[in-house]
């Protein structure tokens, strides 16, 4: 939610900020804005809509500056218009701020400031914060850094902020709590600040990830200074970035989403790299090694996540119960954190998050940690907050996912969950040696089978053309493919704005069957596994009511082919691995339908990639 980018150095800030904002647009695209200092003026340029609108707006304007801050917004407080766009000025207009997060006590702070003569232009919590900081500067007669520190002790909520001051065009002050912030240490004393490393990576690979309640004083040509809000000095820890520039560019694809769908043979392989040795019969996840005994002895596993990651968690439930015989519960992080859950020291929590920044998942982790549970993270973004808050974990290594709709992150999460369940299950003696060996061999073959699956793209595009104007879709699956049905429906909803619902196939006759008529397309997973015959019966029930059937079947299937309107074949695999294949045509279907309907696939309306608000 909201992207932040900032620069100070000897180069022109404007192009760095604009390019950075475009990279961060996936975090929100309601409005964008920049602040630049030149000739002793602090100028703000902001515009509702995407960064392209801001670029048009700044054409011909004075944008020469070697310091600047930029923001792309996902609206929380206040409508997505020009006024509420960031940056915001302080009362004197000497300071400007950009902010990602929510100041929860902004209303009471605003009331006090109004009583002291402050007037506000916007409806945002952010404007309140910068007014408060300046107010403290004057009232307490302290410098800007100290005023920021005092103010941050007064605010409740989440923030990643960067502030610049007209009085000092070589300095930026940055701070964070619960929202991410990374500082790039460039060459010759230049610095970059951003919500994630994507705007930084082409300039420097040396970065410092700020921790919660840390304040950075970033001055051109000087060493980076860090303090915390208790005023203790901290030595910055400079790390080297691992991401490559190519991974955050479209590489010839029309959309990031399509590129990411096509990357899955590689991203799944990368999730297994160094962890799976079929010949030696070894699965080894270094990140959880020290906690494996604890997991094996767990009373139960609770998986917490949101959205697509929650769907991966549901696949995880089937995997863990099947392969380890440890009871599993899967919880929406947003519900779990607020319902006073029963958690004890023998529980193991698995938190799944692509971004590693999702506010509800983070809060669920903190709650479970307080109650003594062991927390394992499955995150994609290296160094993200969740990955640092957990006791141990395994990265998915899917590479940056830029498209707002999650695709390769889902299959990578399922891959890591599979590896974990296999490793624990085998060590625990819950699966036989022969089954273990078979599953390792099959898992190793999955990237090749995904590659094969992607060849069905032409056929999926053809099917998409037929159904692109439908108003509703039903998705059905059983067992391991029930979560895939949920995920397929979510993908279609979020990028094509078509209403879609996922159901366990057998539940259809308990209600949703009433919806079936000749205008209702039904996407059903009917692969040759445990419940195959039952799914075939479910398909017959739909057929009898004139529903249109798109079936995902195992290669060579004839029974479903005879009754379905369209079939998409997947290569044969084990039941527990099938979600890694069946999810691919669902991703492609939603992608093509959305493109055909003229939707913005990579940046669907109202959404943001990283949900750092509750
Ligand atoms: C859907 C999607 C979202 C995310 C959810 C959790 O395509 O991307 O539903 O899965 O917001 O995000 P992470 O995984 O970053 O915690």
């Amino acid at each position: 939610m909201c992207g932040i980018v900032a620069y100070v150095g000897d180069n022109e800030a404007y192009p760095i900020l604009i390019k950075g904002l475009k990279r961060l647009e996936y975090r929100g695209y309601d409005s964008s804005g920049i602040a630049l200092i030149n000739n002793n003026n602090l100028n703000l340029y902001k515009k509702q809509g995407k960064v392209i609108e801001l670029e048009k707006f700044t054409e011909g304007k004075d944008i020469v500056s070697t310091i600047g801050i930029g923001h792309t917004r996902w609206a929380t407080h206040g409508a997505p218009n020009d006024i509420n766009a960031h940056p915001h000025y302080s009362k004197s207009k000497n300071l400007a701020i950009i902010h990602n997060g929510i100041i929860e006590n902004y209303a009471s702070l605003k009331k006090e400031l109004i009583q002291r003569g402050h007037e506000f232009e916007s409806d945002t919590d952010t404007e309140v914060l910068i007014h408060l900081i300046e107010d403290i500067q004057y009232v307490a007669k302290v410098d800007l850094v100290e005023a920021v520190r005092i103010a941050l002790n007064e605010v409740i909520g989440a923030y990643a902020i960067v502030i610049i001051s007209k009085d000092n065009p070589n300095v930026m002050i940055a701070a964070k709590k619960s929202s991410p912030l990374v500082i790039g240490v460039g060459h010759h004393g230049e610095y970059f600040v951003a919500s994630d490393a994507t705007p930084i990576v082409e300039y420097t690979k040396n970065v410092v990830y700020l921790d919660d309640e840390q304040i950075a004083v970033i001055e051109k040509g000087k060493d980076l200074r860090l303090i915390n809000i208790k005023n203790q000095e901290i030595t910055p820890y400079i790390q080297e970035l691992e991401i490559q520039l190519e991974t955050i560019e479209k590489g010839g694809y029309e959309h990031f989403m399509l590129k990411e769908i096509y990357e899955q043979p590689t991203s799944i392989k990368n999730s297994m790299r160094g962890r799976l040795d079929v010949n030696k019969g070894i699965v080894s996840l270094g990140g959880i090694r020290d906690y494996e005994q604890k997991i094996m002895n767990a009373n139960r596993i609770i998986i917490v996540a949101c959205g697509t990651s929650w769907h991966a968690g549901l696949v995880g439930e089937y995997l863990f119960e099947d392969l380890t015989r440890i009871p599993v519960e899967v919880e929406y992080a947003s519900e779990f954190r607020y319902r006073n859950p029963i958690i004890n020291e023998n529980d193991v929590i698995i938190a799944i998050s692509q971004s590693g920044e999702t506010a509800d998942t983070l809060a669920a982790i903190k709650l479970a940690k307080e109650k003594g549970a062991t927390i394992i993270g499955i995150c994609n973004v290296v160094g993200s907050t969740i990955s640092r808050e957990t006791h141990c974990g395994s990265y998915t290594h899917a590479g940056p996912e830029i498209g707002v709709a999650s695709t390769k992150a889902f299959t990578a999460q399922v891959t890591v969950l599979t590896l974990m369940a296999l490793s624990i299950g085998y060590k625990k003696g819950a699966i036989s040696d022969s089954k273990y060996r078979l599953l390792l061999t099959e898992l190793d073959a999955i990237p090749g089978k995904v590659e094969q699956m992607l060849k069905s793209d032409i056929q999926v595009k053809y099917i998409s053309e037929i159904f692109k104007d439908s108003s509703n879709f039903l998705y059905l699956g059983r067992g391991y493919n029930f979560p895939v049905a949920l995920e397929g429906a979510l993908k279609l909803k979020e990028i094509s704005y078509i209403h879609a619902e996922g159901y366990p196939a057998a539940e259809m006759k308990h209600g949703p069957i009433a919806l079936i008529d000749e205008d209702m397309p039904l996407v059903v997973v009917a692969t040759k596994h445990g419940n195959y015959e039952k799914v075939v019966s479910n398909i017959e029930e739909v057929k009898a009511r004139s529903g249109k059937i798109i079936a995902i079947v195992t290669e060579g299937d004839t029974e479903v082919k005879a009754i379905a309107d369209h079939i998409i074949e997947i290569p044969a695999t084990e039941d527990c691995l099938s979600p890694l294949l069946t999810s691919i045509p669902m991703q492609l279907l939603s992608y093509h339908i959305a493109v055909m309907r003229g939707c913005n696939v990579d940046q669907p309306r109202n959404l943001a990639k990283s949900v750092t608000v509750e």
Side-chain angles (χ1 to χ4, degrees):
M1 310 261 113
C2 300
I4 279 181
V5 59
Y7 173 79
V8 65
D10 287 326
N11 291 309
E12 281 303 319
Y14 179 83
I16 296 170
L17 298 183
I18 292 291
K19 202 167 187 186
L21 288 178
K22 286 187 178 164
R23 293 238 164 95
L24 292 173
E25 240 179 354
Y26 73 87
R27 300 180 66 89
Y29 29 82
D30 289 332
S31 63
S32 64
I34 51 171
L36 301 164
I37 302 175
N38 67 16
N39 297 330
N40 210 23
N41 291 319
L42 174 54
N43 296 321
L44 260 52
Y45 305 103
K46 18 196 230 176
K47 211 67 206 143
Q48 181 177 351
K50 303 229 159 101
V51 178
I52 184 101
E53 302 303 327
L54 176 68
E55 269 185 297
K56 284 186 208 151
F57 179 65
T58 51
E59 261 167 36
K61 301 215 162 60
D62 190 359
I63 49 167
V64 176
S65 175
T66 54
I67 183 167
I69 55 179
H71 187 271
T72 178
R73 177 168 187 245
W74 189 84
T76 55
H77 291 80
N81 54 27
D82 293 354
I83 292 176
N84 289 330
H86 297 213
H88 290 284
Y89 276 131
S90 61
K91 187 180 176 193
S92 70
K93 298 195 166 29
N94 277 348
L95 307 177
I97 187 172
I98 47 174
H99 170 214
N100 165 209
I102 290 186
I103 306 300
E104 286 167 15
N105 57 338
Y106 87 104
S108 58
L109 294 169
K110 189 171 183 175
K111 208 166 141 197
E112 276 175 39
L113 288 164
I114 289 172
Q115 278 162 7
R116 288 218 292 281
H118 287 254
E119 284 172 14
F120 293 92
E121 285 176 8
S122 75
D123 307 318
T124 65
D125 49 344
T126 308
E127 194 185 4
V128 175
L129 179 57
I130 195 67
H131 275 242
L132 174 69
I133 289 168
E134 189 172 71
D135 196 69
I136 293 171
Q137 236 189 316
Y138 289 132
V139 174
K141 298 195 173 30
V142 291
D143 67 12
L144 183 56
V145 180
E146 181 59 4
V148 170
R149 193 187 70 76
I150 296 171
L152 294 182
N153 276 289
E154 280 185 36
V155 301
I156 300 168
Y159 55 81
I161 54 169
V162 187
I163 295 167
I164 53 174
S165 162
K166 191 163 93 170
D167 298 334
N168 199 344
N170 292 323
V171 175
M172 310 191 285
I173 296 169
K176 78 144 252 167
K177 184 181 178 192
S178 299
S179 297
L181 209 58
V182 53
I183 299 171
V185 183
H187 311 291
H188 316 298
E190 66 177 349
Y191 288 100
F192 307 80
V193 185
S195 300
D196 69 31
T198 56
I200 295 177
V201 62
E202 70 185 275
Y203 308 106
T204 178
K205 294 225 159 167
N206 296 329
V207 296
V208 175
Y209 287 95
L210 278 197
D211 276 332
D212 276 355
E213 303 194 330
Q214 287 186 346
I215 302 169
V217 184
I218 304 162
E219 183 163 2
K220 182 174 92 175
K222 298 239 171 101
D223 286 345
L224 179 66
R225 183 176 163 229
L226 292 190
I227 55 169
N228 63 19
I229 64 167
K230 294 190 184 120
N231 214 8
Q232 293 157 326
E233 293 285 332
I234 291 149
T235 310
Y237 169 56
I238 300 181
Q239 328 185 16
E240 196 169 328
L241 275 179
E242 281 176 17
I243 57 170
Q244 305 300 325
L245 190 57
E246 315 79 81
T247 63
I248 55 170
E249 293 184 334
K250 280 193 202 148
Y253 285 89
E254 203 183 330
H255 297 102
F256 279 110
M257 182 178 176
L258 190 62
K259 175 182 176 236
E260 287 155 8
I261 292 173
Y262 270 82
E263 277 173 353
Q264 288 174 109
T266 310
S267 53
I268 295 174
K269 210 183 277 171
N270 286 344
S271 301
M272 300 194 285
R273 194 181 301 283
R275 294 169 169 172
L276 172 65
D277 187 330
V278 183
N279 295 332
K280 293 190 182 143
I282 294 172
V283 176
S284 153
L285 289 146
I288 61 162
R289 194 169 299 134
D290 294 347
Y291 286 83
E292 267 186 347
Q293 202 58 46
K294 185 109 196 174
I295 306 170
M296 278 192 268
N297 297 334
N299 279 350
R300 61 178 176 160
I301 294 171
I302 305 170
I303 300 179
V304 291
C306 303
T308 290
S309 298
W310 184 80
H311 295 152
L314 283 181
V315 180
E317 176 181 22
Y318 286 82
L319 283 164
F320 269 86
E321 294 207 337
D322 198 7
L323 303 177
T324 72
R325 308 307 296 150
I326 302 170
V328 181
E329 288 164 28
V330 188
E331 298 265 5
Y332 284 116
S334 54
E335 287 298 314
F336 178 77
R337 58 178 292 201
Y338 287 117
R339 67 165 176 76
N340 193 14
I342 300 162
I343 311 162
N344 60 51
E345 287 171 8
N346 291 327
D347 289 333
V348 166
I349 311 290
I350 302 181
I352 308 176
S353 174
Q354 186 287 128
S355 61
E357 303 294 344
T358 301
D360 283 321
T361 310
L362 191 55
I365 291 173
K366 287 184 178 160
L367 174 75
K369 221 173 170 185
E370 271 163 30
K371 300 201 180 211
T374 299
I375 324 286
I376 304 172
I378 298 181
C379 294
N380 193 38
V381 177
V382 176
S384 55
T385 311
I386 291 177
S387 68
R388 284 183 284 138
E389 282 290 331
T390 46
H391 292 113
C392 63
S394 297
Y395 284 115
T396 45
H397 296 308
E401 192 179 63
I402 313 282
V404 165
S406 197
T407 52
K408 64 173 179 173
F410 173 78
T411 46
Q413 289 163 346
V414 172
T415 305
V416 170
L417 285 161
T418 309
L419 291 169
M420 275 185 188
L422 277 168
S423 166
I424 304 290
Y426 185 61
K427 288 186 183 126
K428 204 168 166 267
I431 41 172
S432 66
D433 198 56
S434 58
K435 184 166 180 189
Y436 175 71
R437 297 261 171 190
L438 170 71
L439 289 177
L440 295 200
T441 308
E442 282 298 322
L443 183 58
D444 194 46
I446 287 290
K449 291 184 182 181
V450 173
E451 190 93 58
Q452 201 180 322
M453 266 318 313
L454 289 166
K455 298 206 177 96
S456 67
D457 194 9
I458 299 170
Q459 190 197 352
V460 178
K461 198 169 175 183
Y462 168 77
I463 298 171
S464 306
E465 187 64 52
I466 299 170
F467 294 104
K468 66 176 191 307
D469 297 319
S470 302
S471 313
N472 298 288
F473 265 77
L474 259 187
Y475 283 73
L476 301 183
R478 293 183 83 129
Y480 278 102
N481 283 294
F482 159 52
V484 176
L486 294 181
E487 175 59 8
L490 176 66
K491 285 290 86 87
L492 189 71
K493 269 186 271 209
E494 66 183 330
I495 60 167
S496 71
Y497 319 139
I498 296 175
H499 171 245
E501 298 209 34
Y503 266 94
E507 274 293 305
M508 196 188 54
K509 51 186 163 302
H510 298 287
I513 199 163
L515 294 168
I516 307 266
D517 61 16
E518 63 283 359
D519 296 325
M520 173 66 91
L522 182 111
V523 182
V524 56
V525 183
T527 48
K528 283 245 160 92
H529 296 119
N531 289 313
Y532 175 71
E533 294 303 336
K534 296 216 165 19
V535 179
V536 174
S537 306
N538 297 142
I539 296 174
E540 295 278 15
E541 289 155 14
V542 175
K543 189 75 188 168
R545 287 155 183 88
S546 309
K548 295 283 175 293
I549 296 151
I550 305 159
I552 298 168
V553 299
T554 308
E555 230 166 23
D557 182 290
T558 48
E559 210 172 329
V560 176
K561 195 172 183 181
I563 42 176
D565 296 274
H566 304 276
I567 59 153
I568 301 161
E569 293 186 324
I570 67 154
T573 188
E574 289 300 300
D575 194 8
C576 67
L577 305 176
S578 62
L580 292 167
L581 302 181
T582 53
S583 53
I584 311 287
M586 303 232 187
Q587 296 168 351
L588 287 168
L589 185 73
S590 57
Y591 171 77
H592 289 301
I593 289 181
V595 171
M596 287 168 190
R597 288 167 72 99
C599 301
N600 187 336
V601 176
D602 284 335
Q603 294 170 349
R605 69 184 180 207
N606 304 336
L607 292 175
K609 183 88 187 145
S610 183
V611 186
T612 53
V613 294
E614 294 167 10

